[in-house]
């Protein structure tokens, strides 16, 4: 591969670009190609975090948060009551590590999602941050740098798996983005059905700054959310969008001015979740789906679709 022959960081970045193009384009067939060329400086992920922090939090954001935080407190699962009964809030709470994905956090998320899958009382899930100014800064790079090469792949697979588990929950999911959502943090938000954000929030898949590509589903979900061409542009450039820009490109559904408490997106997510509660519950919805599917079984179009698949041709439907 030509990119592999290039020296130093540029070679790594070009190789990353080639892998990224393959990841983005593979599901859409060989006609897609990488337009133009892309090179750029290597910038550490931490620079994005520091440079994108709202000024109001300043350098003292993390005061009052101990690095000795108990691991069981890194994810707070709250089952709301009274008029909010049926709403579950998953609150990420790793302030000292900017809510980044650690082995423990991934394990806790997986455990929580497993419990939600089988809980028929759950109607809507909100994913939020308990830490001001941060949603999730992606992978815990301090933990990552200590891993052997043989450990990295399996761990990234675990992150991808838990994000997929959230995407496959049988109830509506809402990401409340009140701060930075970078790399895996944005991939977590992309797995949710609905995304709302504060105007001051920052969002981006910035992995190409580290000579890697998104590994938590970003190459697949971002194009599905905003279109292939724009997704390529954002990933290749590692561009970070604010809330207004994210709304303009269709990455989020709602953008709010941040409030003094720093939870404007969460409050909007809660309003949406309350709006969902009176609607069709899962059991009823599945029964409706079953009844509707049954109506397609005796149709000629269903048989035509199967025959066309077998004969490897386009189906000729007649509405019968």
């Amino acid at each position: 591969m030509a990119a592999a022959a290039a020296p130093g960081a540029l070679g790594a970045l070009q190789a990353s670009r080639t892998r990224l193009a393959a990841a983005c384009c593979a599901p859409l067939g060989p006609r897609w190609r990488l337009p133009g060329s892309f090179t750029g400086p290597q910038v550490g992920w931490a620079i994005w975090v520091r440079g994108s922090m709202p000024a109001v939090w300043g350098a003292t954001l993390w005061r009052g948060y101990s690095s000795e935080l108990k691991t069981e407190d890194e994810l707070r699962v709250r089952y709301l009551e009274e008029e909010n009964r049926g709403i579950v809030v998953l609150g990420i709470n790793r302030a000292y590590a900017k809510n980044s994905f650690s082995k423990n956090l991934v394990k806790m998320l997986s455990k929580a999602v497993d419990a939600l899958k089988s809980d028929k009382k759950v109607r809507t899930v909100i994913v939020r941050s308990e830490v001001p100014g941060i949603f999730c800064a992606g992978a815990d790079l301090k933990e990552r740098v200590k891993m052997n090469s043989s450990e990295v792949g399996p761990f990234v697979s675990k992150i991808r798996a838990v994000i997929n588990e959230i995407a496959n929950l049988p109830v509506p999911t809402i990401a409340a983005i009140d701060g930075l959502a970078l790399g895996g943090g944005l991939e977590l938000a992309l797995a949710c059905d609905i995304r709302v954000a504060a105007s001051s929030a920052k969002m981006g898949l910035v992995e190409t700054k580290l000579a890697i590509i998104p590994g938590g589903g970003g190459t697949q979900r971002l194009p599905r959310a905003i279109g292939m061409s724009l997704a390529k542009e954002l990933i290749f450039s590692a561009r970070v969008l604010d809330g207004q820009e994210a709304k303009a490109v269709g990455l989020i559904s709602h953008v709010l001015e941040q409030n003094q408490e720093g939870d404007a997106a969460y409050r909007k997510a809660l309003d949406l979740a309350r709006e969902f509660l009176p609607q069709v519950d899962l059991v009823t919805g599945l029964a409706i789906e079953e009844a509707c599917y049954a109506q397609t079984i005796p149709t000629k179009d269903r048989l035509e679709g199967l025959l066309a698949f077998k004969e490897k041709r386009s189906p000729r439907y007649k509405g019968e």
Side-chain angles (χ1 to χ4, degrees):
M1 184 181 297
L10 177 58
L13 185 57
Q14 289 176 330
S16 171
R17 168 182 175 242
T18 303
R19 291 190 295 270
L20 176 59
C24 285
C25 301
L28 298 177
R31 65 188 180 87
W32 291 97
R33 63 181 179 83
L34 181 66
S37 62
F38 173 76
T39 60
Q42 291 276 79
V43 179
W45 202 321
I47 293 176
W48 278 112
V49 174
R50 291 197 300 270
S52 302
M53 284 300 299
V56 65
W57 300 113
T60 61
L61 172 64
W62 311 115
R63 291 179 184 173
Y65 292 97
S66 170
S67 60
E68 301 301 321
L69 180 74
K70 294 180 180 179
T71 55
E72 61 266 27
D73 292 333
E74 291 185 348
L75 181 69
R76 295 175 177 172
V77 182
R78 292 189 293 132
Y79 288 74
L80 305 190
E81 298 292 340
E82 298 178 354
E83 71 272 14
N84 297 322
R85 186 180 299 274
I87 301 173
V88 177
V89 180
L90 301 180
I92 306 174
N93 188 44
R94 297 191 76 224
Y96 65 94
K98 302 177 180 65
N99 282 354
S100 56
F101 285 119
S102 64
K103 292 180 179 178
N104 180 67
L105 179 58
V106 171
K107 181 179 178 180
M108 294 186 69
L109 272 170
S110 182
K111 183 178 179 180
V113 173
D114 279 342
L116 294 176
K117 288 178 186 176
S118 56
D119 191 339
K120 295 183 179 180
K121 295 180 181 178
V122 176
R123 304 285 290 279
T124 302
V125 175
I126 298 174
V127 181
R128 67 165 302 196
S129 168
E130 301 279 344
V131 181
I134 292 287
F135 178 73
C136 173
D140 187 335
L141 298 185
K142 289 183 178 179
E143 185 180 81
R144 177 76 58 85
V145 77
K146 298 176 184 177
M147 294 182 185
N148 297 324
S149 297
S150 60
E151 296 178 280
V152 175
F155 179 61
V156 173
S157 293
K158 289 181 180 179
I159 295 177
R160 186 184 305 114
V162 76
I163 289 175
N164 286 339
E165 288 171 7
I166 290 172
N168 292 329
L169 280 172
V171 295
T173 52
I174 308 171
I177 308 170
D178 275 306
L180 286 177
L182 301 180
L186 180 55
E187 289 175 308
L188 173 62
L190 282 166
C192 295
D193 298 310
I194 299 163
R195 290 167 294 282
V196 298
S199 57
S200 58
K202 303 293 183 182
M203 291 155 271
L205 296 180
V206 298
E207 285 86 350
T208 54
K209 292 290 184 181
L210 298 174
I212 58 176
I213 69 171
T219 65
Q220 304 305 304
R221 292 192 176 94
L222 187 61
R224 286 164 170 77
I226 65 174
M228 175 60 73
S229 180
L230 186 53
K232 285 182 178 182
E233 180 181 330
L234 295 182
I235 297 174
F236 295 159
S237 65
R239 188 180 306 156
V240 175
L241 306 178
D242 62 26
Q244 295 289 354
E245 292 168 330
K247 176 66 167 62
V249 301
L251 180 56
I252 61 175
S253 300
H254 302 275
V255 59
L256 302 309
E257 289 298 319
Q258 188 58 281
N259 57 29
Q260 291 185 347
E261 292 78 11
D263 66 351
Y266 170 65
R267 294 191 183 194
K268 178 62 177 180
L270 196 56
D271 287 342
L272 290 172
R274 291 190 187 112
E275 190 175 347
F276 298 162
L277 287 179
Q279 310 309 318
V280 176
D281 63 273
L282 178 62
V283 175
T284 303
L286 291 174
I288 294 172
E289 177 187 278
E290 182 179 11
C292 292
Y293 186 88
Q295 295 179 34
T296 70
I297 295 176
T299 63
K300 293 180 180 179
D301 281 348
R302 184 185 73 87
L303 297 176
E304 166 61 16
L306 293 173
L307 183 61
F309 176 80
K310 180 180 179 181
E311 297 176 351
K312 297 182 180 180
R313 60 172 173 80
S314 298
R316 296 185 287 270
Y317 296 129
K318 298 180 180 179
E320 301 176 352

